[in-house]
Amino acid sequence: MDSLAAPETLFAGCRRYDSMPKLVLHSSYLISTLLGRIFRTMAQNVRLQCIGVILWALLHPAMTTAQQPALNLIPLPANVQSGAGSLKVDSTFSVGFTGYTEPRLERAGERFLRQLARQTGLLLALKPSKTAKATLVIQTDRAGKEIQEVGEDESYILDVSTASARLRASTPLGAMHGLQTFLQLVDVAPDGFAAPAVTIQDKPRFPWRGLMLDSARHFIPLEVIRRNLDGLEAVKMNVFHWHLSENQGFRAESKKFPKLHESGSDSLYYTQDEIRDLIAYARDRGIRVVPEFDMPGHSTAWFVGHPELASGKGPYEIERRWGIFDPAMDPTSEKVYKFLDDFIGEMARIFPDHYFHIGGDEVSGKEWDANPKIQGFMKAHGIKNNEALQAYFSGRVQKLVTKHGKTVVGWDEVLVEGVPKDIVIQSWRGQASLAKAAKQGFRGILSNGYYLDLGWSAARHYAVDPMSGDAANLSAEEKQRILGGESCMWAEYISPENVDSRIWPRNAAIAERLWSPQEVRDPASMYARLDFVSARLEWLGLTHRSVSRHMLQRLAGSASSSEFAALRALAEVVEPVKDYTREQTAPAEPTSTTPMNRVVDAVPLESDAGRRFGELVDQFVASSCHDGAAEARLRAQLTVWRDNDAILQPLAERSFLVKEIAANSRDLSALGAMGLAALDAIAKGQSAPDSWRTQQLAIVEQIKKPRAQLLLIPAPAIQRLVEAAAAGGACSAAKP
Amino acid sequence: MDSLAAPETLFAGCRRYDSMPKLVLHSSYLISTLLGRIFRTMAQNVRLQCIGVILWALLHPAMTTAQQPALNLIPLPANVQSGAGSLKVDSTFSVGFTGYTEPRLERAGERFLRQLARQTGLLLALKPSKTAKATLVIQTDRAGKEIQEVGEDESYILDVSTASARLRASTPLGAMHGLQTFLQLVDVAPDGFAAPAVTIQDKPRFPWRGLMLDSARHFIPLEVIRRNLDGLEAVKMNVFHWHLSENQGFRAESKKFPKLHESGSDSLYYTQDEIRDLIAYARDRGIRVVPEFDMPGHSTAWFVGHPELASGKGPYEIERRWGIFDPAMDPTSEKVYKFLDDFIGEMARIFPDHYFHIGGDEVSGKEWDANPKIQGFMKAHGIKNNEALQAYFSGRVQKLVTKHGKTVVGWDEVLVEGVPKDIVIQSWRGQASLAKAAKQGFRGILSNGYYLDLGWSAARHYAVDPMSGDAANLSAEEKQRILGGESCMWAEYISPENVDSRIWPRNAAIAERLWSPQEVRDPASMYARLDFVSARLEWLGLTHRSVSRHMLQRLAGSASSSEFAALRALAEVVEPVKDYTREQTAPAEPTSTTPMNRVVDAVPLESDAGRRFGELVDQFVASSCHDGAAEARLRAQLTVWRDNDAILQPLAERSFLVKEIAANSRDLSALGAMGLAALDAIAKGQSAPDSWRTQQLAIVEQIKKPRAQLLLIPAPAIQRLVEAAAAGGACSAAKP
């Protein structure tokens, strides 16, 4: 909710989720008296648990923007009640299990202790005990499902007092989630490390919360996947959707059809043993692994070794370009179904999950159009168009998947007339598509709005809710069919080197969207907590923060320290172009062998420094340009930018990779100078001339255009400063 | 050599090393005419190869300080001759072998290609071929020794032309060194990645160039050791001296005496399989592994499982404190020698190297004094003191080591009368000790001056030469006995987390000292190249640069971005106290379980920013305080420091680990203000009052004292600014 919600809204949330999370409900003391009476009336209608939270909400609304959030948790729990004091975390810290235990749980305990040791630097005993005599006692009721199920109980209750902590959960899944929450609670404090006293009752909003990773377009080594699974565990995502085949690569070893990976992967594939290990690794972290083998399109790599599956003549080669290509399986060939029967059977035995993703997206249909045999088949069977032909194919494949004991997941396209109701639709099209499916009785998961490769800000992803739009109007029963969502990491422009930085930290915002109550949606609070959690994720070995400097060092070669500082100053305020612009603006057609060593590959997809600068400008303008401290900070920053280009240009002469951003560098210096001029005009207390304003804004418009596939993020904020200067003494009128 | 050497010196170097390295011999064009005649006479006496270099030297002396070194190589080769143009390194780059090959060499080729791909971001074919049709052709004459030997040929010749590159070597060792040189040559250029055209003839000055790592006081995981071996390979060090036993831990698995590691290691030990793997890993990189089992002292951990070996009564526990302790083996017990015979035999079979280190340092002797049986033995055998008793012990152990086919290495203490001449002395005492040994016919390696744990600057280590002092006066034959040196990483204050940052980049300066010609000794050139190579070492996975930010993040917890920037600004100009001061100034007695999560653990041992600030002050003062650009940079830096404390203090209130450096932070701000005051006084052109000078210098003296075991590195430079201000208009007189 934004700022302070009406008490009714609080109530609604409270009934649905037992209680609302404290952090979004901070209120100011000022209105507590005012609301005291309302509260007393309300209190009679709600359960005791809920009261504390509402009380907090009414007392602390001013903290809603979470400039100083009390607890840096992502995702925010369903219900948080703060206590007094904190639990000291020192080298005597221990973990004990009571109730049900299993090796998975014990490993989770060890992993927790290792992680706690890492994030504090304390030398802890790394073995949990099986007693209640421990700092943190974990009580689990029963075993989880042998194969993790959708909707399996993931709830937990975490009580932290000044003396000890207790974590209770029905299943190991809940216990593992609670351990992650505890890790996020521990922070450095005035007299040591500590976790605040708190009671947290938590459970997810959606049962399907995933990340899809395309390791087909670019092969991603297992160690990279493993650390990303650690990241998923940290933010309580529970599905790893593994996109394993594409035009550009077939990445899973098939013993039945070895030509699939031998011919289709450039020797970059996962062996069956490696896949089994990874599945076990994921299960240990409460994560299901859903394999995707995309068909009938996106399948060129299959045909390199098995051209007989294709609708065209072949021969086929591994595709090196990006885009949608014509090769597609022959839906009219019984050999294809025999092959897929065997293949799906083989994979179904390796991947234990109940769900099996068959892709189904983006079939161009051209190979079908061009194949007389297929055309004849369509006529003979009254299949009137390619969509119907794909429906026929999907239906046949769905039966094979069912035969091997799995449920089909597919992209929107697989949903055509006559498909059985038990399939799950993964929607790249959006909530309307999802809602339509739900109305027809299909379960679905949302991915539209969660495409990590499009370079959106965390806030933009965060604002996307599976239950919004058409989905908001579904009946309760229909809503149940919306299982959750998956972020998608498509791999045209990622490499093993920078993939972490393309997933994190933004994926954590999506994880919160899918776990926390719908009402949790304040982006300022999210960013404040994200900063903290992002730093924490580094302890898992994720390189999303460190890789940028590392890659810039490559660009910089033997740069002097001041040149390198100038390169970083520029790099920290640019972002790669958004959506599908990178492909469109590429200097040469990008392929899977294009090096990803440019600035556009090195910088994060979202500029923290750029966002903060914009906030500072807003703060300054909102103060009617009277906030002297903000002005001083703006001046310091603008001066650095103005002077930056002169330092950077010599390096641009020496490095072709820096040369590429020479124009961006000049633009940044221009913005710096323009911002300083605006501040000077504001300081004079008079309106800057209109001609100046027009001229400056024209320059900003030029600067806003992408160069070297990069956007200069401070441009709009500089524009606001120019507007403020033009507004003169009444600069606050220019507030956006 | 410093600046420009006399031609005679050039000659001497030239004769000895075939030719001098170009980089230290840059000269100015100005004197070329003057020296032309000398050169022409000289040229008749030297080989052609040498001429080019001398010519270069005479022409380019002004570049000696290497502000812009032509080639960023560490260690500098014995002989470099630059060509014209450069070899383009793009995705078509390939490696081919001609002549002798072996799997080790092929793996080196693959490793080289992986590393080249990593440092450029290019997608290279990662398999070398066995043809001469390749961008880089490697021709090796013959196999190396089955067990790498001291003095085995490590030379190579690397020719890079604009069309291709050729690497020739007698043995795989030379080829591997040449590959590392090539990797350092490749840099980003105006139109792609490239290696400059050059001919390098190279061979090491000393045959024994090592790093000793103490993984006994703190256990260091194998993955950490492996990446450090990669680092050693990169700087052409060829010995990994593995300190495996200490009072605080026995780290090698013994199958014969399993109680050694089971009782003596807290379960932190290397299995025999792991050790064999590591030895193979090292051999692949041209690195010998010399194990050290320290005896008869430094051996408490042995006695936990085997108290019968000790001279005292026991029982013994793993030592948790640091220092020299009394437990020592019983030199009078035949059981001890029987045990050591079996143990050394077992280890001799695992460690193939011809050398076996038995430690032998720092025996307190107290257990011997207190043991009547030992006293009786000494009387009976005419052993007049503990030194003689240790000599008796060393003699016995030496025989056992010889029996198992190895040569003894030991610290200075093992060199006593009657020891056989084939042992090697590792000197922590210094060149005099080494020279004395050499005169007596013993071979030796220097470690005094190379103790990485003492926190010295790279320049200070760099200035230590094994052949200086008494060693300089040895005869040629005696000099041959000085085999080289080893840097030593003692482990009281390192953890697996920060050990990389304690070894690197300073170890690269020592590596150069031991490889490059003695005349290569300009610290400015070294630092310029070290900056570059240090960044390169990160591609090996070494964390010496990234770990500091990571550890500071832990200290900072949920700090705002400006607070964290302030913390980093302070952290980058402090250094841990030097030599053995850390122990002496510890707030509580440090032990092996003390967390290493403080600022003193997080910051590098040498402050680059501090060094650069000092250089900038020197530059400013040397300009008689007229260098306006330098002044502006000084002002900017001093202003940041002055204002830093106000930003940092709120964080210090919230974090006990930041609180510890609150006084350092105040001091830095005081230095900033003082520096600005000095600049203001200088700007006025009058001498600052003497009373002011006295007062400021008194404050600086206070600030120079360690706080929180940290030194504030800019203090002496600020002192120079104050002196300059007091000198007034004639501020250049204050130049240090």
Side-chain angles (χ1 to χ4, degrees):
Chain A
M1 82 194 47
D2 299 313
S3 195
L4 182 64
E8 289 75 10
T9 315
L10 290 185
F11 249 102
C14 201
R15 261 182 259 118
R16 170 133 194 222
Y17 300 104
D18 284 27
S19 171
M20 287 295 297
K22 184 190 71 182
L23 289 176
V24 290
L25 299 175
H26 290 158
S27 309
S28 120
Y29 287 96
L30 295 172
I31 56 159
S32 62
T33 321
L34 195 72
L35 293 179
R37 207 166 314 161
I38 304 174
F39 169 69
R40 279 189 295 275
T41 317
M42 283 162 61
Q44 298 159 9
N45 299 318
V46 292
R47 283 198 283 144
L48 199 63
Q49 261 178 359
C50 201
I51 294 174
V53 173
I54 291 181
L55 177 58
W56 182 275
L58 296 176
L59 292 178
H60 298 80
M63 288 177 71
T64 307
T65 52
Q67 299 251 345
Q68 185 76 37
L71 301 176
N72 283 307
L73 301 175
I74 287 190
L76 273 183
N79 178 6
V80 176
Q81 289 182 75
S82 282
S86 60
L87 173 65
K88 203 170 167 62
V89 174
D90 60 20
S91 55
T92 66
F93 189 93
S94 59
V95 167
F97 286 105
T98 64
Y100 172 79
T101 63
E102 61 179 30
R104 174 166 69 149
L105 210 44
E106 286 154 28
R107 286 192 295 270
E110 288 175 37
R111 200 164 61 244
F112 165 86
L113 283 164
R114 273 202 306 276
Q115 191 57 16
L116 188 63
R118 226 175 271 147
Q119 79 181 38
T120 58
L122 295 170
L123 283 96
L124 304 175
L126 297 177
K127 277 273 173 198
S129 62
K130 289 197 181 173
T131 68
K133 286 189 182 168
T135 323
L136 170 62
V137 177
I138 303 166
Q139 183 191 323
T140 310
D141 292 344
R142 57 170 197 272
K145 303 289 183 181
E146 204 169 328
I147 296 164
Q148 189 176 328
E149 287 182 6
V150 179
E152 195 174 334
D153 191 330
E154 299 181 86
S155 69
Y156 68 92
I157 299 172
L158 177 62
D159 279 303
V160 181
S161 73
T162 54
S164 63
R166 188 161 180 220
L167 171 60
R168 284 166 290 166
S170 301
T171 73
L173 295 180
M176 291 193 286
H177 291 318
L179 287 172
Q180 294 302 317
T181 302
F182 190 90
L183 283 173
Q184 291 186 355
L185 285 174
V186 177
D187 197 4
V188 69
D191 51 1
F193 289 95
V198 73
T199 297
I200 291 174
Q201 286 187 292
D202 200 9
K203 63 180 183 183
R205 179 178 167 208
F206 292 108
W208 189 306
R209 308 174 307 278
L211 166 73
M212 187 227 70
L213 177 68
D214 170 7
S215 63
R217 284 184 174 81
H218 276 108
F219 180 76
I220 307 293
L222 286 161
E223 59 169 299
V224 179
I225 298 182
R226 277 194 291 268
R227 67 189 185 220
N228 277 287
L229 292 177
D230 292 344
L232 296 188
E233 180 187 27
V235 298
K236 303 185 172 61
M237 275 190 162
N238 65 359
V239 178
F240 175 59
H241 167 173
W242 202 356
H243 188 81
L244 282 162
S245 70
E246 259 303 336
N247 299 311
Q248 292 83 3
F250 191 98
R251 305 300 181 192
E253 179 191 29
S254 169
K255 293 194 170 161
K256 225 164 178 87
F257 304 107
K259 279 189 286 183
L260 282 173
H261 64 274
E262 285 170 5
S263 305
S265 77
D266 301 307
S267 303
L268 294 170
Y269 62 92
Y270 310 103
T271 68
Q272 295 195 355
D273 282 345
E274 287 171 339
I275 291 171
R276 280 190 202 93
D277 282 353
L278 194 86
I279 291 167
Y281 190 93
R283 177 175 164 78
D284 257 12
R285 284 150 184 81
I287 299 168
R288 299 164 41 220
V289 177
V290 178
E292 176 182 355
F293 293 95
D294 210 343
M295 55 184 97
H298 283 283
S299 49
T300 310
W302 302 58
F303 306 151
V304 184
H306 289 279
E308 74 279 10
L309 302 176
S311 307
K313 278 223 173 88
Y316 293 89
E317 287 191 358
I318 294 175
E319 184 59 57
R320 305 292 169 193
R321 296 162 302 162
W322 309 130
I324 299 172
F325 298 96
D326 297 337
M329 291 180 188
D330 182 350
T332 69
S333 159
E334 285 307 313
K335 274 191 210 154
V336 167
Y337 297 112
K338 175 71 188 73
F339 182 100
L340 289 177
D341 188 3
D342 288 347
F343 175 75
I344 292 170
E346 183 185 15
M347 291 301 133
R349 284 186 294 278
I350 297 168
F351 290 93
D353 198 73
H354 296 307
Y355 294 81
F356 192 94
H357 205 303
I358 59 166
D361 54 325
E362 300 179 327
V363 183
S364 85
K366 286 188 190 162
E367 275 201 351
W368 294 346
D369 297 340
N371 183 326
K373 195 195 99 198
I374 292 176
Q375 293 303 312
F377 181 93
M378 287 169 75
K379 271 194 200 115
H381 293 77
I383 297 173
K384 55 181 187 291
N385 58 25
N386 285 341
E387 193 185 58
L389 185 60
Q390 183 172 350
Y392 168 77
F393 176 83
S394 295
R396 293 286 302 265
V397 173
Q398 188 272 333
K399 283 196 187 75
L400 298 176
V401 171
T402 306
K403 171 183 161 190
H404 294 293
K406 310 285 183 183
T407 299
V408 158
V409 190
W411 299 96
D412 300 83
E413 288 92 329
V414 301
L415 178 50
V416 285
E417 247 190 79
V419 201
K421 294 291 186 211
D422 75 332
I423 72 170
V424 174
I425 306 301
Q426 178 165 19
S427 185
W428 61 266
R429 289 184 177 150
Q431 290 92 335
S433 175
L434 215 53
K436 195 175 148 199
K439 274 188 199 297
Q440 294 174 41
F442 292 97
R443 291 172 300 164
I445 50 179
L446 183 67
S447 282
N448 179 293
Y450 300 144
Y451 273 29
L452 294 166
D453 52 311
L454 299 188
W456 294 11
S457 69
R460 190 170 169 194
H461 287 307
Y462 192 60
V464 175
D465 196 293
M467 290 298 186
S468 66
D470 288 0
N473 302 320
L474 295 174
S475 72
E477 193 191 345
E478 288 161 354
K479 280 185 174 169
Q480 288 294 325
R481 294 187 190 126
I482 297 185
L483 300 176
E486 282 183 6
S487 54
C488 290
M489 183 75 263
W490 297 109
E492 282 90 344
Y493 300 108
I494 63 171
S495 68
E497 184 175 43
N498 74 0
V499 59
D500 293 3
S501 73
R502 273 51 196 145
I503 297 175
W504 306 100
R506 298 172 307 138
N507 190 54
I510 299 172
E512 172 155 301
R513 172 59 48 244
L514 298 173
W515 176 284
S516 303
Q518 185 167 14
E519 293 77 0
V520 176
R521 58 169 189 257
D522 175 33
S525 160
M526 179 274 288
Y527 273 122
R529 291 177 287 113
L530 191 62
D531 271 358
F532 179 82
V533 169
S534 179
R536 281 299 171 82
L537 288 169
E538 287 199 299
W539 296 111
L540 298 169
L542 286 165
T543 62
H544 57 297
R545 290 195 160 202
S546 57
V547 73
S548 184
R549 185 184 61 79
H550 203 40
M551 292 177 75
L552 290 176
Q553 195 85 54
R554 170 194 289 150
L555 295 156
S558 51
S560 71
S561 60
S562 57
E563 285 171 337
F564 190 60
L567 177 60
R568 295 189 71 184
L570 173 57
E572 74 173 16
V573 291
V574 293
E575 287 179 10
V577 289
K578 308 292 158 195
D579 300 312
Y580 295 101
T581 328
R582 179 154 177 186
E583 195 120 355
Q584 293 151 13
T585 58
E589 189 185 357
T591 70
S592 56
T593 59
T594 304
M596 282 188 285
N597 56 9
R598 298 161 58 213
V599 174
V600 69
D601 302 304
V603 299
L605 294 186
E606 182 172 10
S607 159
D608 287 339
R611 175 169 55 79
R612 291 202 189 100
F613 180 78
E615 288 166 3
L616 191 60
V617 166
D618 290 345
Q619 179 188 330
F620 174 67
V621 173
S623 76
S624 303
C625 306
H626 284 88
D627 184 336
E631 188 192 339
R633 286 173 62 197
L634 287 175
R635 277 194 185 275
Q637 179 65 81
L638 292 165
T639 307
V640 168
W641 289 343
R642 183 196 61 194
D643 301 341
N644 206 59
D645 186 51
I647 306 168
L648 191 58
Q649 289 301 341
L651 180 60
E653 294 303 313
R654 302 202 304 280
S655 163
F656 75 110
L657 291 168
V658 177
K659 181 95 190 164
E660 197 192 355
I661 57 160
N664 310 69
S665 176
R666 282 190 291 272
D667 286 351
L668 180 62
S669 285
L671 287 180
M674 191 185 299
L676 287 168
L679 288 181
D680 288 345
I682 289 167
K684 284 188 191 143
Q686 296 167 336
S687 299
D690 214 50
S691 59
W692 177 83
R693 173 182 170 274
T694 309
Q695 188 191 29
Q696 301 305 308
L697 294 184
I699 297 171
V700 172
E701 282 312 310
Q702 285 302 313
I703 289 177
K704 278 185 180 170
K705 291 182 185 160
R707 290 179 210 268
Q709 308 188 281
L710 293 168
L711 300 169
L712 210 42
I713 300 309
I718 298 292
Q719 193 171 358
R720 298 201 290 277
L721 274 185
V722 168
E723 295 283 15
C731 80
S732 63
K735 191 186 167 188
Chain B
M1 87 192 45
D2 298 313
S3 197
L4 181 66
E8 290 73 13
T9 316
L10 290 185
F11 247 103
C14 200
R15 261 182 259 117
R16 170 134 193 223
Y17 300 104
D18 282 26
S19 172
M20 287 295 297
K22 183 191 70 181
L23 290 177
V24 291
L25 298 174
H26 291 157
S27 310
S28 118
Y29 288 95
L30 296 173
I31 56 160
S32 62
T33 321
L34 193 73
L35 294 178
R37 206 167 315 161
I38 303 174
F39 169 70
R40 279 189 294 275
T41 318
M42 283 161 60
Q44 300 161 6
N45 299 319
V46 292
R47 284 197 284 144
L48 199 65
Q49 261 179 359
C50 202
I51 294 175
V53 173
I54 290 181
L55 177 59
W56 183 276
L58 296 175
L59 293 177
H60 298 81
M63 288 176 70
T64 307
T65 52
Q67 299 251 346
Q68 185 76 39
L71 301 176
N72 283 307
L73 302 174
I74 288 190
L76 273 183
N79 177 5
V80 177
Q81 289 183 74
S82 284
S86 60
L87 173 66
K88 204 170 166 63
V89 175
D90 60 20
S91 54
T92 66
F93 188 94
S94 59
V95 168
F97 285 105
T98 63
Y100 172 79
T101 63
E102 62 178 29
R104 174 166 68 149
L105 209 43
E106 287 155 27
R107 286 193 296 270
E110 288 176 37
R111 200 164 61 244
F112 165 84
L113 282 164
R114 273 202 306 276
Q115 191 58 15
L116 187 62
R118 225 176 271 145
Q119 80 180 38
T120 58
L122 296 169
L123 283 96
L124 304 175
L126 298 177
K127 276 274 174 196
S129 62
K130 289 196 181 173
T131 70
K133 286 189 181 168
T135 324
L136 170 62
V137 177
I138 303 167
Q139 183 191 321
T140 310
D141 292 343
R142 59 169 196 271
K145 304 287 184 181
E146 205 169 327
I147 296 163
Q148 189 175 328
E149 286 183 7
V150 178
E152 195 174 334
D153 191 330
E154 298 181 87
S155 68
Y156 68 92
I157 298 173
L158 176 63
D159 278 304
V160 181
S161 74
T162 54
S164 63
R166 188 159 180 221
L167 172 59
R168 284 166 291 166
S170 301
T171 72
L173 295 179
M176 292 192 285
H177 291 317
L179 287 172
Q180 294 302 317
T181 301
F182 190 91
L183 283 172
Q184 292 186 355
L185 285 174
V186 176
D187 197 5
V188 69
D191 52 1
F193 289 95
V198 73
T199 296
I200 291 174
Q201 285 187 292
D202 200 9
K203 64 180 182 183
R205 181 178 167 208
F206 292 109
W208 189 306
R209 308 174 308 278
L211 167 73
M212 186 226 71
L213 178 68
D214 169 8
S215 63
R217 285 184 174 81
H218 276 107
F219 180 76
I220 307 294
L222 286 161
E223 59 170 299
V224 179
I225 298 182
R226 277 193 292 268
R227 68 190 185 220
N228 278 286
L229 291 178
D230 292 345
L232 296 189
E233 181 188 26
V235 297
K236 303 185 172 61
M237 274 189 161
N238 65 357
V239 178
F240 176 58
H241 167 173
W242 203 354
H243 188 82
L244 281 161
S245 70
E246 259 304 334
N247 300 311
Q248 292 83 4
F250 191 98
R251 305 300 181 192
E253 179 191 30
S254 169
K255 293 194 170 159
K256 222 162 180 92
F257 305 107
K259 279 189 285 183
L260 281 173
H261 64 274
E262 284 170 4
S263 306
S265 77
D266 300 307
S267 303
L268 294 170
Y269 63 90
Y270 310 103
T271 69
Q272 296 195 354
D273 282 345
E274 288 171 337
I275 291 170
R276 280 191 203 93
D277 282 353
L278 194 86
I279 291 167
Y281 190 94
R283 178 175 164 79
D284 257 13
R285 285 150 183 80
I287 298 167
R288 299 163 41 219
V289 178
V290 177
E292 177 182 354
F293 294 96
D294 209 343
M295 54 184 98
H298 284 283
S299 50
T300 309
W302 304 57
F303 306 150
V304 184
H306 289 280
E308 75 278 11
L309 303 175
S311 306
K313 278 223 171 88
Y316 292 90
E317 287 190 358
I318 294 175
E319 183 59 56
R320 306 291 171 193
R321 295 162 302 162
W322 308 129
I324 299 172
F325 298 95
D326 299 336
M329 291 179 188
D330 182 350
T332 69
S333 159
E334 286 306 314
K335 274 191 209 154
V336 166
Y337 297 112
K338 175 73 188 72
F339 182 100
L340 289 178
D341 188 1
D342 289 347
F343 175 76
I344 292 170
E346 183 185 16
M347 292 300 133
R349 285 186 294 277
I350 297 168
F351 290 92
D353 198 74
H354 297 307
Y355 293 81
F356 193 94
H357 204 304
I358 59 166
D361 54 325
E362 300 178 328
V363 183
S364 85
K366 286 187 190 162
E367 275 201 352
W368 295 345
D369 297 341
N371 183 326
K373 195 194 102 202
I374 292 176
Q375 293 303 313
F377 181 93
M378 288 170 76
K379 269 195 203 115
H381 293 75
I383 297 173
K384 52 181 188 292
N385 58 26
N386 285 340
E387 193 186 58
L389 184 59
Q390 183 172 349
Y392 168 76
F393 176 82
S394 295
R396 293 285 303 263
V397 173
Q398 188 272 335
K399 283 196 186 72
L400 298 176
V401 171
T402 305
K403 171 183 160 188
H404 294 291
K406 310 284 183 184
T407 300
V408 158
V409 190
W411 299 97
D412 299 84
E413 288 92 328
V414 302
L415 176 50
V416 285
E417 245 189 81
V419 201
K421 294 291 184 210
D422 75 332
I423 73 169
V424 174
I425 307 301
Q426 178 165 20
S427 183
W428 61 266
R429 288 183 179 153
Q431 288 92 334
S433 175
L434 214 52
K436 195 175 148 199
K439 275 187 200 295
Q440 293 174 42
F442 292 97
R443 291 172 301 164
I445 51 179
L446 183 68
S447 282
N448 179 294
Y450 300 143
Y451 273 28
L452 294 166
D453 53 309
L454 300 189
W456 292 13
S457 69
R460 189 170 169 194
H461 287 307
Y462 192 60
V464 175
D465 196 292
M467 290 298 185
S468 66
D470 288 0
N473 303 320
L474 294 173
S475 72
E477 192 192 346
E478 288 160 356
K479 279 184 175 171
Q480 289 293 326
R481 294 185 190 128
I482 297 186
L483 300 176
E486 283 183 5
S487 55
C488 291
M489 184 73 264
W490 297 109
E492 282 90 344
Y493 300 108
I494 64 170
S495 68
E497 185 175 42
N498 74 359
V499 60
D500 292 3
S501 73
R502 274 49 196 146
I503 296 175
W504 305 100
R506 298 173 306 138
N507 190 54
I510 299 172
E512 172 154 303
R513 172 61 46 245
L514 298 173
W515 175 283
S516 303
Q518 185 167 15
E519 292 79 358
V520 176
R521 57 169 188 258
D522 174 34
S525 161
M526 179 274 288
Y527 273 121
R529 291 176 286 114
L530 191 63
D531 271 358
F532 179 83
V533 169
S534 179
R536 281 297 172 83
L537 289 169
E538 286 199 298
W539 296 110
L540 299 170
L542 286 165
T543 62
H544 56 297
R545 290 195 160 200
S546 57
V547 72
S548 183
R549 185 185 61 81
H550 203 41
M551 292 177 76
L552 291 175
Q553 195 84 54
R554 172 193 289 150
L555 295 156
S558 50
S560 71
S561 59
S562 55
E563 285 171 337
F564 190 60
L567 177 60
R568 293 189 73 183
L570 173 57
E572 73 172 16
V573 291
V574 293
E575 287 178 11
V577 288
K578 308 292 157 195
D579 300 312
Y580 295 100
T581 329
R582 179 154 177 185
E583 193 120 356
Q584 293 152 12
T585 58
E589 188 185 359
T591 70
S592 56
T593 60
T594 304
M596 280 186 287
N597 55 9
R598 296 162 59 212
V599 174
V600 69
D601 301 305
V603 299
L605 295 186
E606 182 171 12
S607 159
D608 287 339
R611 175 169 55 80
R612 290 201 189 101
F613 180 78
E615 288 166 3
L616 191 60
V617 166
D618 289 345
Q619 179 186 331
F620 174 67
V621 174
S623 76
S624 303
C625 306
H626 283 88
D627 183 337
E631 188 191 341
R633 287 172 62 197
L634 287 175
R635 276 194 186 275
Q637 180 64 80
L638 291 165
T639 306
V640 168
W641 288 345
R642 182 197 61 196
D643 301 342
N644 205 59
D645 186 50
I647 306 169
L648 191 59
Q649 289 300 341
L651 179 61
E653 292 304 311
R654 302 203 303 281
S655 163
F656 74 110
L657 291 168
V658 178
K659 183 95 191 163
E660 195 192 356
I661 57 160
N664 309 68
S665 176
R666 282 191 291 271
D667 285 351
L668 179 63
S669 286
L671 286 181
M674 191 185 299
L676 287 168
L679 288 181
D680 288 345
I682 289 167
K684 282 188 194 144
Q686 295 168 336
S687 299
D690 215 49
S691 59
W692 177 82
R693 173 183 171 275
T694 309
Q695 189 192 28
Q696 301 305 307
L697 294 185
I699 296 171
V700 172
E701 282 311 312
Q702 284 302 312
I703 289 178
K704 279 184 181 173
K705 290 180 186 162
R707 290 179 210 270
Q709 308 187 283
L710 292 167
L711 300 169
L712 210 43
I713 300 309
I718 298 292
Q719 192 171 357
R720 296 200 291 278
L721 274 185
V722 168
E723 295 284 14
C731 80
S732 64
K735 190 185 166 187

